Coordinates of all heavy atoms in Angstrom, one line a residue:
P1 N -31.2 -5.4 -14.5 CA -30.4 -4.6 -15.5 C -29.8 -3.4 -14.9 O -30.3 -2.8 -14.0 CB -31.5 -4.2 -16.6 CG -32.8 -4.2 -15.7 CD -32.6 -5.3 -14.7
A2 N -28.7 -2.9 -15.5 CA -28.0 -1.7 -15.0 C -28.8 -0.5 -15.4 O -28.7 0.6 -14.8 CB -26.6 -1.6 -15.6
G3 N -29.7 -0.6 -16.4 CA -30.5 0.5 -16.8 C -31.4 0.1 -18.0 O -31.2 -1.0 -18.6
V4 N -32.4 0.9 -18.3 CA -33.3 0.6 -19.4 C -33.1 1.7 -20.4 O -33.2 2.9 -20.2 CB -34.8 0.7 -18.9 CG1 -35.7 0.4 -20.1 CG2 -35.0 -0.4 -17.8
V5 N -32.8 1.3 -21.7 CA -32.6 2.3 -22.8 C -33.9 2.7 -23.3 O -34.7 1.8 -23.9 CB -31.7 1.6 -23.8 CG1 -31.4 2.7 -24.9 CG2 -30.4 1.1 -23.2
H6 N -34.3 3.9 -23.3 CA -35.6 4.4 -23.7 C -35.5 5.5 -24.8 O -36.5 5.9 -25.3 CB -36.4 4.9 -22.6 CG -35.8 6.1 -21.8 ND1 -35.9 7.4 -22.3 CD2 -35.0 6.1 -20.7 CE1 -35.2 8.2 -21.5 NE2 -34.7 7.5 -20.5
A7 N -34.2 5.9 -25.1 CA -34.0 7.0 -26.1 C -32.6 6.9 -26.6 O -31.8 6.1 -26.1 CB -34.3 8.4 -25.5
P8 N -32.3 7.6 -27.7 CA -30.9 7.6 -28.2 C -29.9 7.9 -27.1 O -30.1 8.8 -26.3 CB -30.9 8.7 -29.3 CG -32.3 8.8 -29.7 CD -33.1 8.5 -28.5
L9 N -28.8 7.2 -27.1 CA -27.8 7.3 -26.1 C -26.9 8.6 -26.3 O -26.6 8.9 -27.5 CB -26.8 6.1 -26.0 CG -27.5 4.8 -25.7 CD1 -26.4 3.7 -25.6 CD2 -28.2 4.9 -24.3
G10 N -26.6 9.3 -25.2 CA -25.7 10.4 -25.3 C -24.8 10.4 -24.1 O -25.1 9.7 -23.1
E11 N -23.8 11.2 -24.1 CA -22.8 11.2 -23.0 C -23.4 11.6 -21.6 O -22.9 11.3 -20.6 CB -21.6 12.0 -23.3 CG -21.8 13.5 -23.4 CD -20.5 14.2 -23.6 OE1 -19.6 13.7 -24.2 OE2 -20.4 15.4 -23.1
G12 N -24.5 12.4 -21.7 CA -25.0 12.9 -20.4 C -24.0 13.6 -19.5 O -23.3 14.5 -20.0
T13 N -23.9 13.1 -18.3 CA -22.9 13.7 -17.4 C -21.6 12.8 -17.2 O -20.8 13.1 -16.4 CB -23.5 13.9 -16.0 OG1 -24.0 12.6 -15.5 CG2 -24.7 14.9 -16.0
L14 N -21.5 11.8 -18.0 CA -20.2 11.0 -18.0 C -19.1 11.9 -18.4 O -19.1 12.6 -19.4 CB -20.3 9.8 -19.0 CG -19.1 8.9 -19.0 CD1 -18.9 8.1 -17.7 CD2 -19.2 7.9 -20.2
N15 N -18.0 11.9 -17.6 CA -16.9 12.8 -17.9 C -15.6 12.1 -17.6 O -14.9 12.3 -16.6 CB -17.0 14.0 -17.0 CG -16.1 15.2 -17.4 OD1 -15.1 14.9 -18.1 ND2 -16.4 16.4 -17.0
L16 N -15.2 11.2 -18.6 CA -13.9 10.5 -18.5 C -12.7 11.5 -18.5 O -11.7 11.2 -17.9 CB -13.8 9.5 -19.6 CG -14.9 8.5 -19.8 CD1 -14.6 7.6 -21.0 CD2 -15.0 7.6 -18.5
V17 N -12.9 12.6 -19.3 CA -11.8 13.5 -19.4 C -11.4 14.1 -18.1 O -10.2 14.2 -17.8 CB -12.2 14.6 -20.4 CG1 -11.0 15.6 -20.6 CG2 -12.5 14.0 -21.8
T18 N -12.4 14.5 -17.3 CA -12.0 15.1 -16.0 C -11.4 14.1 -15.1 O -10.4 14.4 -14.3 CB -13.3 15.7 -15.3 OG1 -13.7 16.8 -16.1 CG2 -13.0 16.2 -13.9
D19 N -11.9 12.8 -15.1 CA -11.3 11.8 -14.2 C -9.9 11.5 -14.7 O -9.0 11.2 -13.8 CB -12.2 10.6 -14.2 CG -13.4 10.7 -13.4 OD1 -13.4 11.5 -12.5 OD2 -14.5 10.1 -13.8
C20 N -9.6 11.5 -16.0 CA -8.3 11.3 -16.4 C -7.4 12.5 -16.0 O -6.2 12.3 -15.6 CB -8.3 11.1 -18.0 SG -6.7 10.8 -18.7
Q21 N -7.9 13.7 -16.2 CA -7.1 14.9 -15.8 C -6.7 14.9 -14.3 O -5.7 15.3 -13.9 CB -7.9 16.2 -16.1 CG -7.9 16.4 -17.6 CD -8.9 17.6 -18.0 OE1 -9.7 18.0 -17.2 NE2 -8.7 18.1 -19.2
R22 N -7.7 14.4 -13.4 CA -7.3 14.3 -12.0 C -6.1 13.4 -11.8 O -5.2 13.7 -11.1 CB -8.5 13.7 -11.2 CG -8.3 13.6 -9.7 CD -9.3 12.7 -9.0 NE -10.6 13.3 -9.2 CZ -11.6 12.7 -9.9 NH1 -11.3 11.6 -10.6 NH2 -12.8 13.2 -9.9
M23 N -6.1 12.3 -12.6 CA -5.0 11.3 -12.5 C -3.7 11.9 -13.0 O -2.7 11.8 -12.3 CB -5.4 10.1 -13.4 CG -4.3 9.1 -13.6 SD -4.8 7.7 -14.7 CE -4.7 8.5 -16.3
T24 N -3.7 12.5 -14.1 CA -2.5 13.1 -14.7 C -2.0 14.3 -13.9 O -0.8 14.6 -13.9 CB -2.6 13.5 -16.2 OG1 -3.7 14.4 -16.3 CG2 -2.9 12.2 -17.0
S25 N -2.9 15.0 -13.2 CA -2.5 16.2 -12.4 C -1.6 15.8 -11.3 O -0.8 16.6 -10.8 CB -3.7 17.0 -11.9 OG -4.4 16.2 -10.9
V26 N -1.8 14.6 -10.8 CA -0.9 14.2 -9.6 C 0.1 13.1 -10.0 O 1.0 12.8 -9.2 CB -1.8 13.6 -8.5 CG1 -2.8 14.6 -8.0 CG2 -2.5 12.3 -8.9
A27 N 0.0 12.5 -11.2 CA 0.9 11.4 -11.6 C 1.6 11.6 -12.9 O 2.5 10.8 -13.2 CB 0.1 10.1 -11.7
G28 N 1.3 12.7 -13.6 CA 1.9 12.9 -14.9 C 1.2 12.1 -15.9 O 0.3 11.4 -15.6
K29 N 1.7 12.2 -17.2 CA 0.9 11.6 -18.3 C 1.4 10.1 -18.6 O 0.7 9.4 -19.3 CB 1.1 12.4 -19.5 CG 0.5 13.8 -19.4 CD 0.7 14.6 -20.7 CE 0.1 16.0 -20.5 NZ 0.2 16.8 -21.7
D30 N 2.5 9.7 -18.0 CA 3.0 8.3 -18.2 C 2.2 7.3 -17.3 O 2.8 6.7 -16.4 CB 4.5 8.3 -17.9 CG 5.1 7.0 -18.4 OD1 4.5 6.3 -19.2 OD2 6.2 6.6 -18.0
I31 N 0.9 7.2 -17.6 CA 0.1 6.4 -16.8 C -1.1 5.8 -17.6 O -1.3 6.3 -18.7 CB -0.5 7.2 -15.6 CG1 -1.1 6.4 -14.5 CG2 -1.4 8.3 -16.1 CD1 -1.3 7.1 -13.2
K32 N -1.8 4.8 -17.1 CA -2.8 4.1 -17.9 C -4.2 4.5 -17.3 O -4.4 4.5 -16.1 CB -2.6 2.6 -17.8 CG -3.7 1.8 -18.5 CD -3.2 0.3 -18.6 CE -3.0 -0.4 -17.3 NZ -2.7 -1.8 -17.5
F33 N -5.1 4.7 -18.2 CA -6.5 5.0 -17.9 C -7.4 3.9 -18.4 O -7.2 3.4 -19.5 CB -7.0 6.3 -18.4 CG -8.3 6.8 -17.9 CD1 -8.5 7.4 -16.7 CD2 -9.5 6.7 -18.7 CE1 -9.7 7.8 -16.2 CE2 -10.7 7.1 -18.3 CZ -10.8 7.7 -17.0
T34 N -8.4 3.5 -17.6 CA -9.2 2.3 -18.0 C -10.7 2.6 -18.2 O -11.2 3.5 -17.5 CB -9.1 1.2 -16.9 OG1 -9.6 1.7 -15.7 CG2 -7.7 0.8 -16.7
V35 N -11.3 2.0 -19.2 CA -12.7 2.1 -19.5 C -13.3 0.7 -19.7 O -12.6 -0.2 -20.2 CB -13.0 3.0 -20.7 CG1 -12.5 4.4 -20.5 CG2 -12.4 2.4 -22.0
T36 N -14.5 0.5 -19.4 CA -15.2 -0.8 -19.6 C -15.6 -0.9 -21.0 O -16.1 0.1 -21.7 CB -16.4 -0.9 -18.7 OG1 -16.0 -0.8 -17.3 CG2 -17.1 -2.3 -18.9
S37 N -15.5 -2.1 -21.6 CA -15.8 -2.4 -23.0 C -17.3 -2.1 -23.3 O -18.2 -2.4 -22.4 CB -15.5 -3.8 -23.3 OG -16.4 -4.3 -24.3
P38 N -17.6 -1.5 -24.4 CA -19.0 -1.3 -24.8 C -19.8 -2.6 -24.9 O -21.0 -2.6 -24.6 CB -18.9 -0.6 -26.2 CG -17.6 -0.9 -26.7 CD -16.7 -1.0 -25.5
Y39 N -19.1 -3.7 -25.2 CA -19.9 -5.0 -25.3 C -20.3 -5.4 -23.9 O -21.5 -5.8 -23.7 CB -19.0 -6.1 -25.8 CG -19.6 -7.4 -25.8 CD1 -20.6 -7.8 -26.8 CD2 -19.3 -8.4 -24.9 CE1 -21.2 -9.0 -26.8 CE2 -20.0 -9.6 -24.9 CZ -20.9 -9.9 -25.8 OH -21.5 -11.1 -25.8
M40 N -19.5 -5.3 -22.9 CA -19.8 -5.7 -21.5 C -20.9 -4.8 -21.0 O -21.9 -5.2 -20.3 CB -18.6 -5.6 -20.6 CG -18.9 -6.2 -19.2 SD -17.4 -6.4 -18.3 CE -18.1 -7.1 -16.8
L41 N -20.9 -3.5 -21.3 CA -21.9 -2.5 -20.9 C -23.2 -2.9 -21.5 O -24.3 -2.9 -20.8 CB -21.5 -1.1 -21.2 CG -20.3 -0.6 -20.5 CD1 -19.9 0.8 -21.0 CD2 -20.5 -0.5 -19.0
A42 N -23.2 -3.1 -22.8 CA -24.5 -3.4 -23.5 C -25.2 -4.7 -23.0 O -26.4 -4.7 -23.0 CB -24.2 -3.6 -25.0
R43 N -24.4 -5.6 -22.5 CA -25.0 -6.9 -22.1 C -25.8 -6.7 -20.7 O -26.5 -7.5 -20.4 CB -23.9 -7.9 -21.9 CG -23.2 -8.3 -23.1 CD -23.8 -9.6 -23.7 NE -23.7 -10.7 -22.8 CZ -24.2 -11.9 -23.1 NH1 -24.9 -12.1 -24.2 NH2 -24.1 -12.9 -22.2
T44 N -25.5 -5.6 -20.1 CA -26.2 -5.3 -18.8 C -27.5 -4.5 -19.0 O -28.2 -4.2 -18.0 CB -25.3 -4.6 -17.8 OG1 -25.1 -3.2 -18.3 CG2 -23.9 -5.2 -17.7
L45 N -27.8 -4.1 -20.2 CA -28.9 -3.2 -20.4 C -30.2 -3.9 -20.9 O -30.1 -4.9 -21.7 CB -28.5 -2.1 -21.4 CG -27.4 -1.2 -21.0 CD1 -26.9 -0.3 -22.1 CD2 -27.9 -0.3 -19.8
L46 N -31.3 -3.3 -20.6 CA -32.6 -3.7 -21.2 C -32.9 -2.7 -22.2 O -33.2 -1.5 -21.9 CB -33.7 -3.8 -20.1 CG -35.1 -4.1 -20.6 CD1 -35.1 -5.5 -21.2 CD2 -36.1 -4.1 -19.4
D47 N -32.9 -3.1 -23.5 CA -33.1 -2.1 -24.6 C -34.5 -2.0 -25.1 O -35.1 -3.0 -25.5 CB -32.2 -2.6 -25.8 CG -32.4 -1.7 -27.0 OD1 -32.7 -0.5 -26.8 OD2 -32.1 -2.2 -28.1

């Protein structure tokens, strides 16, 4: 498993906003940002 869920989920240190800002700072806003589907992520977890 990618991880074991033992408590309510929270964002923790995940920071998509900063990673997107890095991208737009060098490329402008006319660009695509990608995230993995919650379904695919959930299938890798031991709940």
